[in-house]
Amino acid sequence: MLPGRIRVFLRPSSTSSCTPLNLTLSLTRICHSQLRTRAFFWSRSRFTMAMAAVDGGGGVNYAPPPSAGAAGAGPGTKRSHPGGQRQNKFGKKMRSKQKKPVQEGSHDEVLLMDVQTLLAASKISDDGAAAADSAVQPPLPEQGSEIEVDVVEMSSTGDGLAKQKGSDQIYVVPFAVPGDTVKVKVYRHLPDEGYTVADFISVTKPSPLRDDSRIQCKYFAKCSGCQFQMLDYAEQLRRKRQIVVKAYRNFSQLPPELVPDVLDTIGSPLQYNYRTKLTPHFDGPPGGGRHSKKPHQEMPPFGFTPKTSRRILDIEDCPIATETVRKGITQERERLAVEFGKYTRGATILLRESTQRVPKSQNGSIESAGTQPSPPAASVVVETDTYTDYKTVITDQNATSTEYIDDFIFTNPAGAFFQNNNSILPPFTAYIREHILPPAGSSGAKPVRNLIDAYSGSGLFTITQAALFPGGSIGIDIAEKSIQFARRNAELNGLVAMSTPSPSPPRRGSRSNSPPAAAAAAAARKQEEEAAAAAKGRYRFIAADAPELFKSVARYDPDETVVVLDPPRKGCDASFLRQLLQFAPRRVVYVSCNVHTQARDVGVLVRGEVEDVAANSNNTNTSATTAEGEANTVEAGEDNKKKNKTGGVRYEIESIRGFDFFPQTGHVEGVAILNRVDAGKE
């Protein structure tokens, strides 16, 4: 059974002080380790707060204070800089930004959650409870000043969380690891969020975890692309497992007993030279306006945005990119050095690796098939025992790139999305193949025969998993062009279209120009080819929005069906999750590049409830001035939540594991395996 729901209202007395830290501590005492704080609202004088609708295991929704001038940043407020916008004294603009629901899994939200957790833990550990509640904090250092801080924790964003001696203030510092003492430059104080953003200057005392000899990029600690190059790779994987753990703790709204231990993160075979796509860029001419025709007078900086500035950092090389893409950087720099005068605006340059594979004969020599195109002259050559790969870089967004995963071939528009680390795709797709079907001996008399691949793109899972599903595999994507390439990729890999009718036998009495023996041999060969193709899988691709998917698969028996989800970073919307619960497939495999929105959506499936917070502005009546008004606001919020009718269908989590698609960075891919909870297992 899932825990129930409680409501708590806090209103400090006129004589008591209520600081963000005290408020954090108070809430933490009430909620214990089961709950988490999600957002705070306060004015600089007196705080009034309503905390409501605490879903068991963690979901905390807050209503803003009713007093005039106390309209703080509402839940889900978008921020132009990590930490948010300052209070507008009239409150009008800020109230309009309170309408967006929380839990988007954004960088800001994840960082804020980690800061608040650290603040709460720090207050409790000061004296086992709250002995330091009344301690006077030193004034914050001036913006622009340089100070030393000790890094005590690492955020799920890859930033270090640090403290200055004698202060509870949290400093968010890039390129730092727990145990470091670093010199930083104070950039911006965010009192409403409880932390300060600081720029990294240098390490004054390194952590035992740090070894700067591991750093392979001369731009590290300037370029914003990598965060972990100073860490041993095994430590990087441990950190990324912890990111997944915290994502489910903070965003799933599930009690710990419903979330299994997160498995160890599977590492990338390549930790450098793995990225098959980069998009370096350059700015427009200095002083040029939007409609200016003034060209560049000299070659502009060409590279990536640094961590501490909006000006492009000029980059000559990127060691996490493949050799082919690194050559592309050099080639484009040489071209830009000659052609910079043609540009009156800034531009982003695509660098996408593409592979031409030439098989070898049994004696190891390259086959001289007349259909093989000539290898490109300026290519990177990769030799194996069975083939030779010729790798080139593509700069045209509309050109077609080719990529191999084991023996599977995939073509895509060069500018379209496809996973950027080819080295991890074979073990990644093998892991999905090993876990996509229910374990042997699991409950359920019917064998799983069907695959539904939602958000299928150009067919990665439909094609690599199709051989396991005799009933067929259906892929769906909103982009018609992606579906066109998915169908092409299925044909290139020998899959059989589900709509293709079986060949009819020749009619009796029909004439044939072939001798009977030759016709029989041809028919036998055709049957063998069709059987081989059927063994690779049967497919169908549909161009439609994911919420329309289940209208197309009504004939599928949910007891015989697995659904694979691989949504964009924002995760699945409520409509899709509601349809998924109503369809109730036996098994769900959820793949995500954002483990925080994945945790949120998995929590929905485990609870078996989809809630739409409709018209969140109706939930935030900032003009109320009484506790009764606050309560009414909370009740209105509850009334506006529309719960789906799923017939009691819910899921349990079988396993959660991270995959390191981007070594040296703080990013981690997540794979969650879920099983439907059938009657009798409750």
Side-chain angles (χ1 to χ4, degrees):
M1 294 293 294
L2 295 175
R5 178 168 295 183
I6 63 172
R7 289 190 177 91
V8 180
F9 295 91
L10 301 179
R11 182 188 293 275
S13 66
S14 58
T15 58
S16 65
S17 64
C18 188
T19 67
L21 293 178
N22 295 347
L23 193 55
T24 304
L25 180 60
S26 301
L27 291 173
T28 304
R29 289 174 180 164
I30 294 170
C31 300
H32 303 290
S33 61
Q34 296 287 322
L35 306 177
R36 71 183 187 281
T37 54
R38 190 178 295 170
F40 293 114
F41 307 91
W42 56 76
S43 66
R44 297 186 180 182
S45 55
R46 185 175 299 180
F47 304 93
T48 305
M49 178 172 182
M51 183 183 83
V54 181
D55 288 323
V60 184
N61 295 321
Y62 298 98
S67 56
T77 300
K78 285 289 187 179
R79 304 174 177 89
S80 58
H81 186 280
Q85 302 176 7
R86 294 297 180 86
Q87 169 67 44
N88 181 296
K89 66 180 181 179
F90 299 105
K92 185 175 181 180
K93 290 185 178 180
M94 296 305 295
R95 283 196 297 273
S96 68
K97 295 195 175 198
Q98 293 170 359
K99 298 179 182 180
K100 199 163 187 179
V102 297
Q103 288 206 330
E104 298 174 343
S106 66
H107 178 282
D108 296 344
E109 189 176 10
V110 171
L111 178 60
L112 183 60
M113 191 76 69
D114 286 341
V115 168
Q116 291 174 347
T117 300
L118 180 58
L119 285 170
S122 298
K123 292 297 294 181
I124 291 176
S125 64
D126 279 343
D127 193 12
D133 273 8
S134 59
V136 177
Q137 293 293 310
L140 295 178
E142 292 185 2
Q143 296 186 19
S145 61
E146 296 182 3
I147 61 172
E148 279 193 1
V149 293
D150 297 320
V151 183
V152 296
E153 185 57 86
M154 181 171 283
S155 169
S156 294
T157 62
D159 298 307
L161 302 180
K163 289 185 175 183
Q164 192 178 20
K165 286 182 173 60
S167 172
D168 286 333
Q169 182 73 2
I170 303 297
Y171 293 83
V172 178
V173 184
F175 314 117
V177 298
D180 276 343
T181 299
V182 294
K183 181 184 288 187
V184 300
K185 183 177 181 179
V186 177
Y187 174 66
R188 180 182 297 171
H189 296 301
L190 302 168
D192 289 352
E193 312 295 352
Y195 66 88
T196 294
V197 179
D199 295 336
F200 173 87
I201 297 177
S202 63
V203 178
T204 57
K205 181 182 177 182
S207 164
L209 298 175
R210 174 185 286 273
D211 183 352
D212 286 351
S213 68
R214 299 187 181 109
I215 298 173
Q216 297 189 24
C217 179
K218 64 181 180 181
Y219 306 105
F220 183 73
K222 296 179 182 177
C223 174
S224 59
C226 296
Q227 298 85 41
F228 290 170
Q229 288 193 25
M230 78 294 277
L231 292 177
D232 176 69
Y233 190 54
E235 180 64 24
Q236 293 187 34
L237 297 180
R238 284 191 287 270
R239 293 285 165 181
K240 294 190 179 190
R241 177 187 176 275
Q242 191 60 23
I243 290 173
V244 182
V245 170
K246 290 195 293 183
Y248 277 81
R249 181 190 304 153
N250 294 337
F251 287 87
S252 70
Q253 301 188 37
L254 295 174
E257 59 268 21
L258 295 184
V259 181
D261 288 341
V262 175
L263 302 174
D264 291 340
T265 302
I266 292 181
S268 171
L270 296 176
Q271 289 92 57
Y272 285 91
N273 303 114
Y274 65 83
R275 278 197 70 114
T276 56
K277 177 185 176 183
L278 287 178
T279 52
H281 40 277
F282 58 89
D283 289 332
R290 184 175 180 181
H291 302 291
S292 173
K293 299 298 183 181
K294 176 185 176 183
H296 278 288
Q297 301 301 307
E298 59 182 4
M299 179 176 167
F302 177 60
F304 304 106
T305 304
K307 186 70 174 178
T308 59
S309 172
R310 293 186 178 181
R311 294 184 178 181
I312 301 298
L313 176 65
D314 194 55
I315 288 179
E316 297 176 347
D317 189 22
C318 179
I320 64 171
T322 64
E323 182 182 352
T324 309
V325 174
R326 294 171 78 172
K327 279 191 172 183
I329 294 176
T330 301
Q331 293 167 3
E332 285 303 302
R333 289 184 64 85
E334 292 172 351
R335 182 189 65 80
L336 186 60
V338 175
E339 300 181 0
F340 63 83
K342 297 180 180 179
Y343 290 92
T344 59
R345 295 184 181 180
T348 297
I349 306 299
L350 170 69
L351 300 173
R352 163 72 81 178
E353 182 177 280
S354 183
T355 301
Q356 178 185 329
R357 177 163 292 181
V358 180
K360 291 182 177 179
S361 61
Q362 291 184 353
N363 62 10
S365 61
I366 295 177
E367 294 180 357
S368 57
T371 58
Q372 289 289 348
S374 300
S379 57
V380 174
V381 181
V382 178
E383 296 277 1
T384 73
D385 293 338
T386 57
Y387 57 81
T388 300
D389 280 348
Y390 297 91
K391 297 180 179 291
T392 55
V393 67
I394 294 176
T395 58
D396 182 356
Q397 298 268 350
N398 297 314
T400 298
S401 64
T402 303
E403 190 155 350
Y404 289 84
I405 304 171
D406 293 322
D407 293 329
F408 294 100
I409 179 174
F410 289 89
T411 59
N412 294 278
F417 171 79
F418 198 77
Q419 295 290 356
N420 294 334
N421 181 351
N422 180 269
S423 76
I424 200 174
L425 288 177
F428 174 67
T429 53
Y431 180 87
I432 301 298
R433 193 176 298 116
E434 292 167 4
H435 294 83
I436 198 168
L437 295 175
S442 60
S443 62
K446 297 181 180 179
V448 172
R449 296 173 44 82
N450 312 309
L451 169 64
I452 298 173
D453 181 9
Y455 311 93
S456 65
S458 58
L460 176 63
F461 297 116
T462 309
I463 292 169
T464 59
Q465 312 298 317
L468 299 175
F469 298 94
S473 303
I474 292 183
I476 184 168
D477 198 273
I478 193 172
E480 174 66 38
K481 195 167 187 179
S482 294
I483 291 299
Q484 292 174 4
F485 273 86
R487 291 170 180 150
R488 177 183 176 184
N489 291 334
E491 293 172 0
L492 289 172
N493 287 284
L495 275 67
V496 177
M498 291 169 64
S499 58
T500 303
S502 301
S504 301
R507 291 177 297 175
R508 181 177 298 177
S510 62
R511 296 183 178 181
S512 173
N513 295 328
S514 302
R525 284 195 302 272
K526 191 166 187 178
Q527 279 188 336
E528 290 177 0
E529 291 172 357
E530 289 172 352
K536 292 185 177 182
R538 299 166 61 243
Y539 76 91
R540 180 181 169 204
F541 285 104
I542 304 170
D545 198 359
E548 300 296 316
L549 169 64
F550 296 100
K551 295 180 180 179
S552 306
V553 294
R555 66 182 182 85
Y556 274 18
D557 184 346
D559 293 340
E560 299 179 349
T561 301
V562 173
V563 173
V564 174
L565 310 178
D566 188 10
R569 290 190 61 82
K570 67 180 181 179
C572 303
D573 62 27
S575 172
F576 175 82
L577 291 174
R578 183 177 296 106
Q579 290 185 69
L580 179 64
L581 285 167
Q582 290 169 346
F583 180 72
R586 180 171 166 189
R587 194 166 172 87
V588 174
V589 178
Y590 194 140
V591 178
S592 177
C593 59
N594 185 339
V595 292
H596 306 94
T597 52
Q598 180 194 58
R600 176 201 66 198
D601 295 345
V602 167
V604 169
L605 297 177
V606 171
R607 292 191 303 276
E609 291 183 353
V610 182
E611 292 184 347
D612 292 335
V613 184
N616 201 38
S617 58
N618 294 336
N619 306 344
T620 54
N621 180 10
T622 56
S623 63
T625 56
T626 65
E628 290 78 14
E630 294 168 7
N632 291 336
T633 296
V634 171
E635 295 296 340
E638 291 297 300
D639 292 339
N640 282 326
K641 291 182 178 180
K642 302 176 182 178
K643 295 184 180 179
N644 69 322
K645 298 178 181 179
T646 63
V649 173
R650 69 177 188 87
Y651 286 79
E652 62 183 1
I653 306 173
E654 177 179 300
S655 64
I656 306 168
R657 188 188 285 275
F659 281 80
D660 189 15
F661 273 66
F662 298 97
Q664 318 308 330
T665 78
H667 298 286
V668 60
E669 197 98 355
V671 178
I673 312 292
L674 296 90
N675 294 304
R676 189 185 63 208
V677 178
D678 294 323
K681 284 193 66 178
E682 296 285 353

